[in-house]
Amino acid sequence: MAINKIERVLRDQVTQLTQKLSKITQAEEIYPLRSLYTGKESELQKALGLLKDLPKEERPTAGSLINATKRELEQAISEKLTKLLSEELAAQDAVRDIDVTAPFHVNMPDVPKLPRVGSLHPLQHEINRMLTIFTTMGFTPFEGREVDSDYYVFDSLNMPKEHPARQNWDTFRTEDNLIPTPHTSNMQVRVMRKMKTAPLRAVIYGRVSRNEAIDAVHGHTFYQIEGLYIDKGVSISNMIATINAFVEAFFGRKVTGKVQPGYFPFVEPGIEYMGQCPFCEGAGCGSCKHTGWLELVGAGMIHPSVLREGGFDPAVYSGFAWGLGLDRMVMQRNGIQDIRSLFSSDIRFLSSAV
Amino acid sequence: MKYSLTQIKKYIPELVTIPTDELITRIWGSIAEVESVVDYKKKFEGIVVAKVLSVEEHPRSSKLVVATVDCGASEPVTVVTGAKNFAVGDFVPYLSVGATVPAMTDEQGNPLEIEIRTMVGIPSVGMLASERELGLSDDHSGIMILRPEEVRFDLVPGAALSSVLEYDDVIFEIENKSLTHRGDCFSNAGIAREIATLYNLPVTIPEWQLPSQQTADLLGKEFDKELPCKISIKLSALSAVERYSAIVLDGVQVRPSPLWLRAYLTKHGINPVNNVVDVTNYVMLEYGQPMHAFDASTVLHKTRDEKVDFQIDVRFSEGGEKLETLDGKVRTLGQNVTLITDTQEPLALAGIIGGKASGITADSTRIILESAVFNKYAIRNASMALGVTTDASILFSRKQDPEKTVRALLRAVHLLQELASAQVVSPIADDYPPQKLSTTIVVSHEKLEEFLGIALSVGNVEQILTGLGCEVQRKNGMYRIDTPSWRPDLAIDEDIYEEIARMVEYKNITPELPKRGIFGVSLDSYEQVKQTILSVLTGIGYSQGMNFSFVSKDQYSLCRVSLDDAQKISNAISPDVQYMRKHVLPGLFSQLTKNQYNAPLFGIFEIGKTSRRTMRYTGAPVEELHMPESSFGIDELGLPIEDEHLSLGIIDDSKQPGYFTLKHSIETLAARLRMTVSFLHPSSLSAKEKKALPVWLVELLSFYREGRVALIYAGDQEVLGVIGEPKSAILTDAGITKQIALAEVSLPKLSRFATLDPVYTEPSRYPTVTEDYCFEVPVSVAYSSIIQKIEKAALLYKAEVTVSLRPRDIFQKKEETKQVTVSVTYMPLKQSLSEREVQMYRNSLVFSVQEVGGKLV
């Protein structure tokens, strides 16, 4: 047989198969076709047997022709099969095989009960604890926005466009130039404008994010909580005492604190509050990286620009804000080594609370 | 930034009486957190200068030599080493037994302690070290040879190496981020001013730093000479440069710096290059003035007779200009990058990095030395746009004091005269546009005390402010403060309060709680509903999960849910954080999937915010919005609404369709929130009703298996969400082999129907009657329609009797009918029920069920 004849036969096979496939509506009908066109007795296999009779120089051309046809036939079959199977699945899915208004399925009056005691997420547990402390201290809670404008994230917090401190937060941005907020302070000016009168006591909490690669100690998502206090004649001394009261309530024991300068553009002055490690009482342990101290709180006296932005005259009022990250607290409390355990977690972790 | 305590002590001699630990604690308490402290003297303990007495081949190894050295001990010691680059008479560093190698660790990262080690039969007592092992450089080609001409102390066997190398120092580091607003603290001299103020100690300022020292005094006889070169400055980019000073030096011999200078740089974490570059870096560390040296021969100049004229133009780049920088990268510049040019070609990226072509090489002899201050925003923007951060750009982007350029230049000239045989061949060119260098702040002593909350002495306040460089005048309880040129960050009253607070130290501010009135705060109703949901769901066995607010394309496409209208992250570093979620379900679904083999039956729920790009707050009141939009009103204009959703799901390997297990949980939750919910297949909706469904819910419908999905309604009026089982194709793709069901509801909507403070009713005093009725109905009749019929009939008697229902069984053995058994309890309100009355109620209920084709069996 000449090569052009082989070619014709193969073309014909493809045409035949295409026609037959187009008529098929059930997946099971396809299997006989598969053996007919690609099986042992198929024209394709026969053509393969004829190869050796061809002149040597034509064999490679004919060989690749047969292979190409084989691929074409197999592809047509598998495409059709996938289509039919998914149509069958969809048809099966479309069957109203349960009464969605019923309390259980026919003949199955027993609905399984979840066997374990459920549990709050450890972050939620901590949020709840904090909110209890804050509300008993007279602070009204507000949950923060997750995505916010430049104005609330930066401008309103004394960080105009060119401010170098903007760099200190590696923020995400959306295509509409909004910012998944890197801190909960984006709510400060809002809360001031809403509450309007002093003394103002508010607590803001929520999810914040930074554009960082994830590893055991870094996440792009975490939780913060911050307190806000504004009144006439509020002093640094008041700030330190309040933070101390909060920290002691949180740990449920007396905590020795120390204050050092810190820099945050929305406060003046800014401080960092360190607490003597409550786990080792200052002796040094894994929780405090063997320093005896835990960095607990970032704080400061609210910057006059921020007060002004929130509608409080800085000549009359002063105030302070203090905030902390919840994830680290959760990790310390639970001895969690890998921050990734907190999100998308394993049910065995979630239900491990004892 | 790293600081040298030795150098700081040169500025503040009286500091020697203060223990290092105490000093560091004080810096921490008043300036900024100290990241690390390295005591090099301690690190170099047991390392001494040794003189080589003999060197011989090892008798049994051609790779080793055996040396005897005089290490200052009574007897010479024998050392076996692989290096052969030293000879008799050389001075070498010797690590005695018990010392640790400063810059080398074992494979586990533990320090290497020297012990007597036998090497091919000969014990080696101690070790000779290379520069790399000492942490001085990367040179590991042989033992370090100490040359008398390179050190500033006599080489005596047994002398502590740290003293000879001037490494007997304590280096402490403060994170740059802690000093974002304090450009003046980026040098040893800068931090010394702070420390001196802390302890109220006098500062000895080296004479070259005194503002009164004029060029003439420092340059001496060279000043009056007719100088062969001239350099002139043009500031085309006036907004980007605050001062530009430069000088030309000639006869420069470029070579490696002496050891003390190299050691100084290494301690500060800067690699030595050559004496010219090293001197510029030295001045930067000492004084906070970044400098740059150009090879003058590569700079365009005019020559007339014996005179050589250079002109430097500081201008902005035009888009598309190219410059190969010192790090070997060719950079294509956008517009408005500040450039140092020779009026034609760019020579350097101003304040960031030099150009390669104009850089100092071993052959450079005539150099131009630049000492300038650039605008912090210009440098920061260029550094960010080009992605180059250098020590210079770090300093400039934190604002430097333009007053110091010439003084730093003169300091460098002196050092280069000494170390590189440089000669001054030009006057100093200095273009210094007028600018505001000082601010006047007036604060009252009373306000200051009120702000800090403690009493302060006037003397203390004055000492602190003067120590920091302010000029202070006091009158009638007010301070009039003129700030120094290096403290542009001092601008408002609160800045002064901060200076005083940190300098007196926060620990000396006695804590006192604010005086408070009596007040009560409770969670608002929405938060209370949320807390109730948390306690109900965890109470019936659900665990609370948290998934990211960011979602990926893959997550959504696996769920067959469209990502249209999702807020897209434009600068994500990972494909997992491409979009903000519009639903909580896709994240929860992947969490369920991951956990399917971790327990036979479990439930997870999540409460989280969802948002859509175009669904924004328009200012109009949106009743169902809870937070924060409705709460903050107009402030939210134009921002996407953040709608909180509750999603819950179960995995189960029993026979009961997952749908029912989950539905049961939702009904339990609803009951606990004292609200009624109903479930309706989407096909029962009219086209108009379908159109009114929220977009997020319609999108989720494509996730569900068509025959096993229902809309969840509050009562029968408002759609709260959706429940069902995933499409079979999704289960195949996700590899799920168990029963699974998921639901999602809008939390603000749910909370509107929840009752937080339920009303309690006394029970009836008359006995109740309970009867089970079994109805046979066609299979197509929905269970809910039977219940509805019964409830409707019961309504007729509501004045006499309260009827409550409980499902008992749904049984099917025939093809066309099923038997629904309901337990009915009659609670009489007015009197005990007679058999006749029960009969009447029963007939009435049964009659009603007949309307849907049910008959009592």
Side-chain angles (χ1 to χ4, degrees):
Chain A
M1 212 173 355
I3 186 162
N4 52 356
K5 180 139 185 248
I6 293 180
E7 193 177 352
R8 229 177 9 254
V9 170
L10 294 175
R11 273 291 99 214
D12 189 44
Q13 287 284 297
V14 174
T15 322
Q16 275 184 32
L17 177 72
T18 317
Q19 273 177 3
K20 286 190 183 164
L21 282 177
S22 68
K23 287 178 194 141
I24 281 182
T25 54
Q26 305 276 319
E28 62 223 35
E29 293 173 46
I30 218 159
Y31 303 109
L33 283 184
R34 182 151 73 187
S35 65
L36 186 62
Y37 286 92
T38 61
K40 268 186 198 152
E41 302 298 316
S42 65
E43 291 293 327
L44 191 80
Q45 291 301 326
K46 283 181 197 157
L48 216 50
L50 292 174
L51 263 185
K52 62 179 189 309
D53 304 333
L54 284 178
K56 213 174 185 177
E57 63 276 14
E58 283 185 2
R59 279 183 213 164
T61 326
S64 66
L65 190 69
I66 294 169
N67 277 331
T69 310
K70 188 179 179 202
R71 277 196 299 273
E72 205 177 337
L73 293 170
E74 282 171 345
Q75 201 190 335
I77 290 168
S78 83
E79 272 173 12
K80 183 70 181 186
L81 188 61
T82 313
K83 189 163 169 266
L84 287 175
L85 284 175
S86 75
E87 277 169 12
E88 279 171 19
L89 269 187
Q92 205 179 303
D93 276 5
V95 176
R96 300 271 301 274
D97 63 343
I98 61 170
D99 175 0
V100 296
T101 70
F104 39 76
H105 198 36
V106 283
N107 304 339
M108 292 186 196
D110 293 322
V111 177
K113 292 221 164 27
L114 300 182
R116 284 175 179 276
V117 175
S119 49
L120 287 181
H121 192 279
L123 281 163
Q124 182 75 54
H125 180 82
E126 221 63 23
I127 291 171
N128 287 0
R129 263 171 48 85
M130 295 256 182
L131 289 184
T132 307
I133 295 169
F134 271 105
T135 48
T136 50
M137 287 170 84
F139 286 68
T140 308
F142 294 93
E143 186 171 350
R145 272 193 73 92
E146 282 184 21
V147 178
D148 214 342
S149 62
D150 258 288
Y151 173 76
Y152 287 115
V153 174
F154 291 126
D155 296 272
S156 73
L157 295 173
N158 193 37
M159 280 181 278
K161 275 264 142 19
E162 298 281 324
H163 201 287
R166 280 190 172 208
Q167 252 180 311
N168 294 356
W169 288 276
D170 294 320
T171 57
F172 287 112
R173 282 207 179 250
T174 73
E175 57 187 337
D176 300 317
N177 212 19
L178 295 172
I179 305 168
T181 189
H183 49 60
T184 44
S185 303
N186 64 322
M187 301 301 287
Q188 283 192 2
V189 162
R190 281 187 175 94
V191 169
M192 289 182 207
R193 287 179 186 170
K194 180 181 160 67
M195 295 186 82
K196 289 192 184 76
T197 49
L200 179 155
R201 309 174 192 94
V203 50
I204 303 159
Y205 62 101
R207 195 178 258 209
V208 300
S209 45
R210 312 243 168 113
N211 197 355
E212 281 188 20
I214 304 191
D215 59 33
V217 287
H218 298 96
H220 54 59
T221 299
F222 39 100
Y223 277 82
Q224 278 189 346
I225 190 160
E226 68 182 63
L228 205 60
Y229 189 99
I230 300 171
D231 202 355
K232 287 180 184 161
V234 175
S235 67
I236 294 176
S237 153
N238 295 157
M239 166 170 72
I240 297 173
T242 308
I243 296 173
N244 205 51
F246 167 78
V247 169
E248 292 188 350
F250 180 76
F251 287 106
R253 62 202 295 177
K254 195 140 184 61
V255 174
T256 310
K258 73 173 177 185
V259 175
Q260 66 192 53
Y263 175 67
F264 312 100
F266 35 96
V267 289
E268 185 68 60
I271 60 155
E272 273 170 37
Y273 181 95
M274 322 268 292
Q276 193 170 62
C277 180
F279 303 102
C280 60
E281 294 182 350
C285 67
S287 285
C288 57
K289 291 188 198 139
H290 305 280
T291 60
W293 294 91
L294 287 178
E295 268 180 55
L296 294 176
V297 173
M301 300 295 286
I302 301 167
H303 196 283
S305 316
V306 181
L307 282 174
R308 213 174 286 123
E309 204 65 35
F312 286 89
D313 179 358
V316 182
Y317 295 99
S318 55
F320 55 85
W322 81 101
L324 61 161
L326 287 173
D327 306 57
R328 222 178 27 197
M329 295 286 166
V330 168
M331 290 174 75
Q332 274 159 4
R333 172 189 288 282
N334 298 286
I336 295 169
Q337 304 290 326
D338 191 328
I339 197 167
R340 288 170 292 195
S341 300
L342 294 177
F343 286 90
S344 330
S345 356
D346 192 317
I347 183 74
R348 292 168 298 181
F349 165 69
L350 293 176
S351 54
S352 67
V354 281
Chain B
M1 169 83 202
K2 287 181 172 158
Y3 303 92
S4 152
L5 209 52
T6 303
Q7 179 138 35
I8 291 167
K9 282 177 183 163
K10 281 182 190 155
Y11 299 128
I12 318 168
E14 288 174 46
L15 208 58
V16 290
T17 59
I18 292 159
T20 305
D21 286 352
E22 192 211 305
L23 176 65
I24 296 296
T25 310
R26 192 76 207 268
I27 292 171
W28 194 307
S30 289
I31 303 171
E33 179 177 340
V34 178
E35 278 283 294
S36 66
V37 181
V38 180
D39 185 342
Y40 279 100
K41 197 169 180 178
K42 222 170 174 176
K43 238 182 147 159
F44 274 65
E45 225 163 53
I47 307 177
V48 296
V49 175
K51 190 174 187 177
V52 179
L53 302 177
S54 73
V55 188
E56 277 162 29
E57 291 277 327
H58 192 292
R60 283 164 56 196
S61 167
S62 60
K63 284 185 185 146
L64 298 173
V65 292
V66 180
T68 52
V69 299
D70 173 7
C71 62
S74 49
E75 294 291 321
V77 291
T78 305
V79 186
V80 184
T81 172
K84 299 177 178 177
N85 65 317
F86 56 97
V88 172
D90 280 349
F91 288 97
V92 291
Y94 170 74
L95 280 68
S96 50
V97 174
T100 34
V101 186
M104 219 175 130
T105 56
D106 68 7
E107 278 133 21
Q108 280 82 46
N110 300 316
L112 277 179
E113 199 179 309
I114 302 295
E115 43 198 44
I116 299 175
R117 230 174 105 197
T118 306
M119 295 171 87
V120 200
I122 300 180
S124 177
V125 182
M127 173 183 141
L128 307 181
S130 71
E131 289 199 16
R132 193 208 281 174
E133 284 158 342
L134 294 171
L136 297 175
S137 77
D138 260 349
D139 189 356
H140 196 50
S141 60
I143 301 301
M144 180 184 190
I145 312 285
L146 300 160
R147 301 186 198 289
E149 66 275 16
E150 276 204 312
V151 295
R152 299 198 284 196
F153 291 90
D154 288 339
L155 290 171
V156 182
L161 187 73
S162 62
S163 328
V164 174
L165 295 183
E166 296 178 52
Y167 239 79
D168 46 350
D169 201 346
V170 174
I171 298 288
F172 62 93
E173 183 171 12
I174 297 178
E175 209 185 344
N176 291 344
K177 211 167 158 176
S178 309
L179 299 170
T180 301
H181 59 314
R182 291 297 305 274
D184 65 305
C185 281
F186 279 79
S187 66
N188 284 310
I191 207 88
R193 181 163 44 226
E194 294 271 317
I195 294 171
T197 310
L198 276 180
Y199 287 102
N200 193 16
L201 294 175
V203 181
T204 311
I205 296 175
E207 61 167 16
W208 60 267
Q209 269 180 329
L210 292 173
S212 62
Q213 286 287 344
Q214 295 305 305
T215 319
D217 301 321
L218 285 157
L219 292 186
K221 58 184 180 352
E222 280 171 352
F223 184 72
D224 288 330
K225 266 201 314 214
E226 177 75 4
L227 294 166
C229 294
K230 194 175 138 230
I231 182 163
S232 52
I233 311 293
K234 190 175 158 199
L235 302 182
S236 301
L238 194 57
S239 63
V241 50
E242 287 162 11
R243 187 175 184 180
Y244 197 99
S245 317
I247 196 167
V248 186
L249 304 176
D250 205 354
V252 173
Q253 292 172 17
V254 178
R255 54 181 178 235
S257 299
L259 204 50
W260 67 263
L261 178 51
R262 286 193 279 134
Y264 182 88
L265 297 179
T266 326
K267 282 187 298 191
H268 286 83
I270 290 182
N271 288 332
V273 181
N274 58 46
N275 51 359
V276 176
V277 175
D278 292 353
V279 162
T280 61
N281 282 331
Y282 177 88
V283 174
M284 176 175 74
L285 292 172
E286 190 181 30
Y287 200 37
Q289 173 63 55
M291 305 182 85
H292 189 70
F294 300 98
D295 183 332
S297 67
T298 66
V299 177
L300 186 75
H301 52 267
K302 286 192 213 126
T303 314
R304 270 179 288 111
D305 307 323
E306 295 297 299
K307 297 274 287 179
V308 183
D309 270 9
F310 294 94
Q311 198 186 348
I312 294 289
D313 182 11
V314 184
R315 65 161 169 86
F316 291 120
S317 61
E318 295 149 17
E321 278 185 277
K322 282 194 167 65
L323 176 66
E324 183 180 6
T325 44
L326 276 171
D327 52 8
K329 293 203 178 103
V330 180
R331 300 178 186 277
T332 307
L333 311 173
Q335 280 175 341
N336 293 328
V337 175
T338 318
L339 292 176
I340 311 300
T341 71
D342 55 7
T343 74
Q344 292 203 353
E345 292 299 315
L347 301 173
L349 299 178
I352 301 176
I353 190 168
K356 182 142 201 175
S358 61
I360 301 298
T361 65
D363 302 327
S364 305
T365 51
R366 179 176 284 178
I367 66 171
I368 297 172
L369 204 57
E370 165 199 292
S371 178
V373 167
F374 301 99
N375 177 273
K376 64 174 177 179
Y377 299 121
I379 299 305
R380 194 172 71 92
N381 291 341
S383 158
M384 276 169 65
L386 294 164
V388 205
T389 305
T390 58
D391 290 319
S393 76
I394 288 170
L395 263 69
F396 283 129
S397 55
R398 283 162 176 85
K399 175 79 180 114
Q400 292 304 320
D401 175 14
E403 281 289 285
K404 67 189 170 189
T405 59
V406 171
R407 298 201 299 268
L409 197 61
L410 293 171
R411 173 62 166 158
V413 169
H414 271 266
L415 287 167
L416 287 172
Q417 285 171 334
E418 184 189 322
L419 303 176
S421 321
Q423 294 147 24
V424 174
V425 288
S426 86
I428 290 175
D430 184 23
D431 198 338
Y432 191 7
Q435 53 204 278
K436 187 170 182 266
L437 292 171
S438 171
T439 307
T440 304
I441 305 169
V442 180
V443 299
S444 90
H445 188 80
E446 193 190 337
K447 189 76 202 289
L448 175 65
E449 287 186 331
E450 183 189 299
F451 196 87
L452 268 62
I454 50 164
L456 293 158
S457 84
V458 172
N460 197 5
V461 173
E462 280 183 330
Q463 176 260 315
I464 290 167
L465 294 173
T466 349
L468 295 172
C470 296
E471 279 172 34
V472 186
Q473 287 169 295
R474 187 163 48 87
K475 207 174 171 187
N476 305 329
M478 305 292 278
Y479 302 96
R480 190 196 141 98
I481 301 150
D482 292 308
T483 62
S485 58
W486 57 85
R487 292 298 304 273
D489 60 305
L490 299 181
I492 55 173
D493 300 5
E494 284 76 5
D495 294 325
I496 300 299
Y497 304 156
E498 166 163 39
E499 295 309 291
I500 306 300
R502 67 186 181 93
M503 285 294 168
V504 302
E505 279 200 280
Y506 288 103
K507 69 172 185 199
N508 295 322
I509 298 179
T510 322
E512 194 191 327
L513 282 168
K515 288 176 183 60
R516 309 177 290 172
I518 293 173
F519 46 82
V521 175
S522 60
L523 295 179
D524 73 4
S525 59
Y526 178 84
E527 283 305 319
Q528 287 180 48
V529 170
K530 211 158 130 180
Q531 290 297 334
T532 311
I533 293 172
L534 292 174
S535 81
V536 174
L537 289 179
T538 54
I540 60 173
Y542 282 80
S543 293
Q544 183 185 18
M546 286 204 186
N547 291 286
F548 296 125
S549 304
F550 304 107
V551 288
S552 69
K553 220 178 206 155
D554 292 350
Q555 259 178 321
Y556 262 70
S557 64
L558 173 67
C559 292
R560 314 302 198 259
V561 179
S562 149
L563 262 169
D564 287 354
D565 209 24
Q567 300 192 69
K568 190 176 181 192
I569 302 297
S570 53
N571 61 342
I573 44 174
S574 147
D576 294 336
V577 283
Q578 282 168 310
Y579 297 92
M580 300 302 298
R581 61 181 170 186
K582 298 189 291 175
H583 315 89
V584 177
L585 183 143
L588 194 73
F589 177 65
S590 61
Q591 194 179 359
L592 287 166
T593 308
K594 272 194 270 178
N595 278 298
Q596 79 166 303
Y597 299 112
N598 287 340
L601 167 61
F602 64 92
I604 309 181
F605 73 99
E606 177 175 6
I607 292 174
K609 290 201 164 78
T610 66
S611 61
R612 313 180 64 86
R613 193 176 174 196
T614 59
M615 199 167 282
R616 290 168 183 247
Y617 187 68
T618 59
V622 185
E623 215 186 321
E624 70 208 32
L625 285 183
H626 175 75
M627 303 191 59
E629 288 82 358
S630 58
S631 166
F632 295 102
I634 203 78
D635 284 352
E636 307 304 307
L637 264 187
L639 286 170
I641 290 168
E642 293 189 344
D643 190 20
E644 209 155 29
H645 286 190
L646 161 69
S647 185
L648 60 170
I650 57 103
I651 288 237
D652 175 23
D653 51 13
S654 77
K655 286 275 185 305
Q656 181 76 252
Y659 174 89
F660 292 110
T661 312
L662 187 62
K663 177 172 180 271
H664 184 74
S665 303
I666 291 174
E667 284 168 330
T668 309
L669 174 64
R672 177 63 179 75
L673 293 169
R674 317 291 165 205
M675 60 187 282
T676 51
V677 286
S678 60
F679 298 80
L680 196 61
H681 192 270
S683 63
S684 334
L685 260 55
S686 70
K688 200 179 153 204
E689 284 169 327
K690 266 187 193 150
K691 233 178 144 182
L693 291 175
V695 199
W696 67 264
L697 198 155
V698 175
E699 285 173 337
L700 278 186
L701 286 177
S702 58
F703 168 77
Y704 289 107
R705 177 169 167 177
E706 225 182 304
R708 293 191 173 186
V709 58
L711 302 173
I712 308 167
Y713 282 81
D716 48 10
Q717 31 182 332
E718 180 98 47
V719 67
L720 300 176
V722 60
I723 174 178
E725 296 178 17
K727 280 198 164 83
S728 303
I730 297 175
L731 298 183
T732 312
D733 290 356
I736 292 177
T737 56
K738 303 189 171 193
Q739 297 286 352
I740 179 169
L742 291 98
E744 177 149 341
V745 298
S746 158
L747 212 50
K749 267 194 183 163
L750 184 76
S751 79
R752 275 202 298 145
F753 291 92
T755 307
L756 285 167
D757 299 310
V759 177
Y760 295 76
T761 318
E762 286 176 296
S764 169
R765 264 171 282 150
Y766 312 105
T768 56
V769 175
T770 301
E771 295 188 335
D772 284 4
Y773 305 148
C774 177
F775 298 101
E776 179 154 11
V777 294
V779 276
S780 63
V781 171
Y783 170 84
S784 64
S785 58
I786 300 168
I787 299 301
Q788 277 160 14
K789 290 297 169 196
I790 297 176
E791 283 171 342
K792 200 177 131 205
L795 223 50
L796 283 174
Y797 309 104
K798 75 170 183 196
E800 306 158 19
V801 67
T802 303
V803 176
S804 52
L805 308 174
R806 198 163 59 83
R808 293 287 299 226
D809 192 19
I810 303 171
F811 178 65
Q812 185 179 1
K813 65 175 174 193
K814 296 182 207 157
E815 184 95 345
E816 328 75 51
T817 59
K818 60 185 174 188
Q819 295 180 347
V820 175
T821 309
V822 183
S823 191
V824 180
T825 300
Y826 302 97
M827 183 173 80
L829 299 174
K830 292 181 172 156
Q831 58 189 42
S832 298
L833 294 177
S834 67
E835 175 53 32
R836 223 176 47 119
E837 281 158 330
V838 174
Q839 174 83 39
M840 179 182 71
Y841 298 144
R842 185 190 310 130
N843 288 346
S844 183
L845 300 189
V846 170
F847 182 75
S848 184
V849 174
Q850 277 172 11
E851 289 174 32
V852 291
K855 57 175 197 285
L856 195 66
V857 193

